[in-house]
Amino acid sequence: MPSGAFDCPICFEPMAGHIFQCKEGHPICGECLTKTKTRHDNCPSCRGPFPAEDMRNRGMEQLAETMHFDCRWGCGASWRPSELEEHCRNCELRQVKCPVQDCPHRGTLFDLRQHLEVDLHHGQVCHLPWSSRLHMKTSAFSRNLVAMKLKLIRHEDMAVLMRQEFKDNMLTLSFSHFDLPFKYTLKLTGGRDRECIFTGRTKELEANEGGAMVWIPKALGTDFRVNDEFSFTMSFEAV
Ligand SMILES: [Zn+2]
Ligand SMILES: [Zn+2]
Ligand SMILES: [Zn+2]
Ligand SMILES: [Zn+2]
């Protein structure tokens, strides 16, 4: 059987997850079924409505599991449906959206790093050396405006992207890598030799993993302030 028989009639991707069907038995992938029902559209094959209660096509799902489907990013690897999603989430050729708001550019992680390095995003992405000290005004906690900033931290061919946001009396910092992960160390320093250290591991851009974020609440920033600022150092090492 040609693997094209498993392509969803709407998105043309192989139906590797749950496969649903209309009352006439025409298949559709789960994502497209949700979108189609939200728009109150009918089955693209027979124009009939989809049943109110979703109907799985388990026979087709079982058949699909005996086959291999190509990675949609074109890396040349092929996988069983149950392994395909996991691979596509991690494939090194996958396309990721540029983290700058409103920038429509998509590219591989390698490509995005270069995209952020060129001066296209001059003014939106600032560049920092591998270890640096940042100073923040404590008044930034009280601003109602959500101020999100991106900082590209570089050393030779290594790079980490830091996303910085003041919101709801909280400073949130998240650290992402482009190829290999790093261990970050963030150290708040205050008067009388006080220190507060956060360490963790960077995450991949777009991934949603715990540990790659540091939350500094207003009370902590204020406690470590010197004059009207608090400051911290950041450094990174390979893991
Ligand atoms: Zn689909
Ligand atoms: Zn149909
Ligand atoms: Zn792939
Ligand atoms: Zn961009």
Side-chain angles (χ1 to χ4, degrees), residues 6-25:
F6 289 91
D7 288 351
C8 167
I10 294 187
C11 65
F12 306 113
E13 295 290 338
M15 296 182 285
H18 288 173
I19 301 176
F20 297 92
Q21 62 175 47
C22 76
K23 283 176 181 160
E24 293 297 321

Side-chain angles (χ1 to χ4, degrees), residues 17-211:
H18 288 173
I19 301 176
F20 297 92
Q21 62 175 47
C22 76
K23 283 176 181 160
E24 293 297 321
H26 297 122
I28 184 170
C29 82
E31 222 169 284
C32 291
L33 177 68
T34 308
K35 286 183 195 160
T36 304
K37 287 180 93 166
T38 314
R39 289 194 303 256
H40 303 289
D41 281 350
N42 289 347
C43 167
S45 310
C46 67
R47 301 282 150 211
F50 284 102
E53 213 147 297
D54 296 344
M55 276 166 74
R56 293 261 297 275
N57 188 327
R58 290 175 199 264
M60 212 170 160
E61 287 174 14
Q62 275 171 15
L63 205 54
E65 193 54 35
T66 64
M67 305 185 63
H68 285 77
F69 297 94
D70 291 343
C71 163
R72 79 176 82 110
W73 305 119
C75 72
S78 62
W79 301 85
R80 288 185 191 284
S82 54
E83 303 155 335
L84 188 65
E85 245 335 280
E86 171 76 11
H87 166 81
C88 289
R89 262 202 306 277
N90 296 298
C91 177
E92 59 180 37
L93 291 189
R94 75 186 188 282
Q95 301 271 309
V96 174
K97 192 200 161 294
C98 170
V100 174
Q101 220 179 354
D102 301 330
C103 174
H105 182 86
R106 297 184 77 88
T108 61
L109 288 175
F110 180 77
D111 171 55
L112 269 186
R113 189 190 142 171
Q114 290 183 320
H115 169 80
L116 290 170
E117 280 175 7
V118 296
D119 57 8
L120 179 77
H121 284 312
H122 191 74
Q124 288 156 305
V125 181
C126 88
H127 295 212
L128 287 178
W130 204 233
S131 15
S132 49
R133 174 179 285 277
L134 295 187
H135 297 267
M136 309 258 169
K137 292 251 179 264
T138 43
S139 58
F141 282 112
S142 315
R143 271 185 233 135
N144 282 325
L145 208 86
V146 175
M148 202 268 277
K149 281 186 185 153
L150 291 171
K151 292 181 173 158
L152 191 66
I153 302 157
R154 284 192 311 170
H155 177 62
E156 291 170 358
D157 62 346
M158 302 180 285
V160 168
L161 186 74
M162 181 176 93
R163 196 174 185 277
Q164 164 196 322
E165 189 171 28
F166 279 100
K167 195 181 173 186
D168 301 330
N169 288 326
M170 187 80 80
L171 167 61
T172 311
L173 301 163
S174 76
F175 300 98
S176 311
H177 59 261
F178 295 87
D179 34 53
L180 296 172
F182 296 97
K183 179 190 168 191
Y184 64 81
T185 303
L186 189 148
K187 193 196 285 183
L188 272 169
T189 47
R192 296 173 187 266
D193 296 330
R194 293 167 74 227
E195 288 181 347
C196 179
I197 298 173
F198 300 88
T199 60
R201 197 176 284 203
T202 58
K203 65 180 177 66
E204 264 192 356
L205 217 64
E206 277 205 337
N208 201 3
E209 295 158 20

